[in-house]
Amino acid sequence: MKKKKALLYMLAAALLFCFTEISLKKLNGSINSIEVNFSRYLLAGILLLPAGIKERKRRRVRLGRRHIQWFFLLGFIGIALVGPLYQLATVYLDAGVTGVIFSINPICIGILAAFLLKEPISSQQAMGFGLAFAAILVIVDPFHVSMDPIGLFLLGLTVLFYSLYAVLGKKMTDELGSADMTAGSFICGGLQLFLFAAASHVPLLSDFARQAGFPGFADIPLFSGYTLKNLPWVLILYVGVTLGAYYFWFQAMEYGSVAIGGMTYFIKPVLTPFFALLILGEGISGRMMTGILLMLAGAAISLGRKQTGRTGTESIEDGGKKS
């Protein structure tokens, strides 16, 4: 029964995560990217906080200065940097492509965990990494690049910082629990973005941003741009994705295992292009389909059971999962 619940929660999380790129694409142009990100992470962090406090009390851990400092560091890397970079990437790239390429983050997490945390990489994981890398090469086609190089660069930075956030958050997750670590980093990261947006209204700083060629970082709106037309996508992104998807993801790992939670990011790239086709009218090329199949093959190998009885995904995620 617990396994069935875990699988249902995992599928619900994957389904909601599919709307990340689509909703960001829908909101581009109507709400400033910084405003979108500080709003959604602050809201989600506050709503997750009760569950995080409950989990922390169950573990009998008292919050100290060290935890707060880590929350701010993780919030800066995983929220203040990743959020705006990811939304900017969706400006230059199709939502389906963005979703598929971003879903290699479990692979990047495994590699970073091997270097930073000395977590071993099994032969099965290495094969999975190879197939995922091949999938990206097929989709991007580096010899005939038709995608915007700026978008690819921004997306590459997003994946790197997201993976670094996951690996550095390992100790905090082990100590406080995933809900508490996520709530704390969400609130701190959202607060940093809010302060950045507020500072952009200082005449000296706003003039500097415009002169430097970054008018989007001058006089960033704090609570504007919301309309009845974009309200459905605001709710999908703020409540459905940022809060709901993470909640279901936590539940999947609680009722099942870390491996089941990790499967979310292997199902998401399969579903995202089809939702992008239905909602945004983005086509699915043969190259995209080939890349998706290669990524699924890599996922299947990575999730294969090793001689120790653990799965490849468990090793990756234990080394640095994002909560």
Side-chain angles (χ1 to χ4, degrees), residues 1-11 251-257 259-261 263 305 311:
M1 187 64 181
K2 281 190 174 183
K3 185 177 181 181
K4 185 180 291 186
K5 279 188 175 182
L7 290 172
L8 289 175
Y9 280 128
M10 182 271 293
L11 290 173
Q251 293 295 97
M253 289 185 284
E254 182 177 342
Y255 281 96
S257 66
I260 290 178
M263 288 175 66
R305 191 165 292 278
T311 64

Side-chain angles (χ1 to χ4, degrees), residues 182-201:
T182 304
S185 60
F186 274 17
I187 291 173
C188 290
L191 181 60
Q192 290 173 54
L193 285 175
F194 175 78
L195 293 175
F196 178 81
S200 73
H201 291 266

Side-chain angles (χ1 to χ4, degrees), residues 18 21-26 28 89-100 272-285 288:
C18 288
E21 298 79 17
I22 295 170
S23 53
L24 287 173
K25 197 87 173 178
K26 283 287 188 178
N28 281 332
T90 65
V91 174
Y92 296 94
L93 302 174
D94 287 346
V97 172
T98 308
V100 171
T272 299
F274 291 100
F275 280 109
L277 172 64
L278 293 173
I279 298 172
L280 301 176
E282 296 180 358
I284 301 176
S285 64
M288 173 70 79

Side-chain angles (χ1 to χ4, degrees), residues 6-313:
L7 290 172
L8 289 175
Y9 280 128
M10 182 271 293
L11 290 173
L15 182 64
L16 287 172
F17 273 131
C18 288
F19 287 92
T20 305
E21 298 79 17
I22 295 170
S23 53
L24 287 173
K25 197 87 173 178
K26 283 287 188 178
L27 293 175
N28 281 332
S30 62
I31 306 178
N32 183 280
S33 63
I34 302 295
E35 181 185 4
V36 165
N37 284 288
F38 80 65
S39 301
R40 72 184 182 110
Y41 283 113
L42 274 175
L43 176 63
I46 291 170
L47 293 176
L48 274 174
L49 195 56
I53 293 174
K54 182 179 179 181
E55 190 174 41
R56 189 198 318 147
K57 287 182 176 179
R58 181 175 61 83
R59 292 168 178 258
R60 297 181 180 179
V61 177
R62 294 189 63 179
L63 204 63
R65 180 182 298 179
R66 176 177 60 87
H67 298 108
I68 302 299
Q69 291 172 341
W70 270 101
F71 284 154
F72 272 95
L73 175 63
L74 293 171
F76 175 72
I77 295 172
I79 309 304
L81 291 179
V82 167
L85 284 173
Y86 198 34
Q87 181 154 5
L88 286 173
T90 65
V91 174
Y92 296 94
L93 302 174
D94 287 346
V97 172
T98 308
V100 171
I101 296 178
F102 182 74
S103 294
I104 68 167
N105 70 78
I107 310 299
C108 296
I109 288 172
I111 295 172
L112 283 176
F115 282 103
L116 299 179
L117 302 177
K118 308 303 179 184
E119 292 284 340
I121 297 178
S122 70
S123 58
Q124 285 175 289
Q125 289 171 3
M127 290 175 64
F129 294 167
L131 285 172
F133 183 70
I136 300 305
L137 290 180
V138 168
I139 295 170
V140 175
D141 189 10
F143 298 106
H144 305 89
V145 177
S146 58
M147 300 179 195
D148 193 297
I150 296 177
L152 289 174
F153 176 71
L154 291 171
L155 185 57
L157 287 179
T158 303
V159 172
L160 175 63
F161 287 129
Y162 184 98
S163 302
L164 187 60
Y165 167 91
V167 173
L168 293 180
K170 177 183 182 296
K171 291 184 178 179
M172 292 294 291
T173 301
D174 291 343
E175 185 177 351
L176 299 175
S178 58
D180 202 25
M181 191 281 287
T182 304
S185 60
F186 274 17
I187 291 173
C188 290
L191 181 60
Q192 290 173 54
L193 285 175
F194 175 78
L195 293 175
F196 178 81
S200 73
H201 291 266
V202 176
L204 179 65
L205 297 178
S206 62
D207 291 342
F208 176 79
R210 290 191 181 93
Q211 292 172 6
F214 298 102
F217 292 101
D219 297 319
I220 297 170
L222 299 180
F223 303 103
S224 64
Y226 297 96
T227 65
L228 289 176
K229 185 178 179 180
N230 64 25
L231 182 60
W233 293 106
V234 168
L235 293 176
I236 288 172
L237 180 63
Y238 288 31
V239 181
V241 175
T242 314
L243 176 63
Y246 281 107
Y247 173 77
F248 289 136
W249 193 33
F250 299 149
Q251 293 295 97
M253 289 185 284
E254 182 177 342
Y255 281 96
S257 66
V258 174
I260 290 178
M263 288 175 66
T264 300
Y265 279 107
F266 291 118
I267 294 176
K268 179 181 180 291
V270 179
L271 297 177
T272 299
F274 291 100
F275 280 109
L277 172 64
L278 293 173
I279 298 172
L280 301 176
E282 296 180 358
I284 301 176
S285 64
R287 185 177 295 279
M288 173 70 79
M289 283 300 302
T290 303
I292 288 173
L293 291 174
L294 283 171
M295 190 165 285
L296 282 175
I301 292 174
S302 295
L303 288 169
R305 191 165 292 278
K306 302 188 298 183
Q307 291 180 354
T308 59
R310 299 178 66 201
T311 64
T313 302

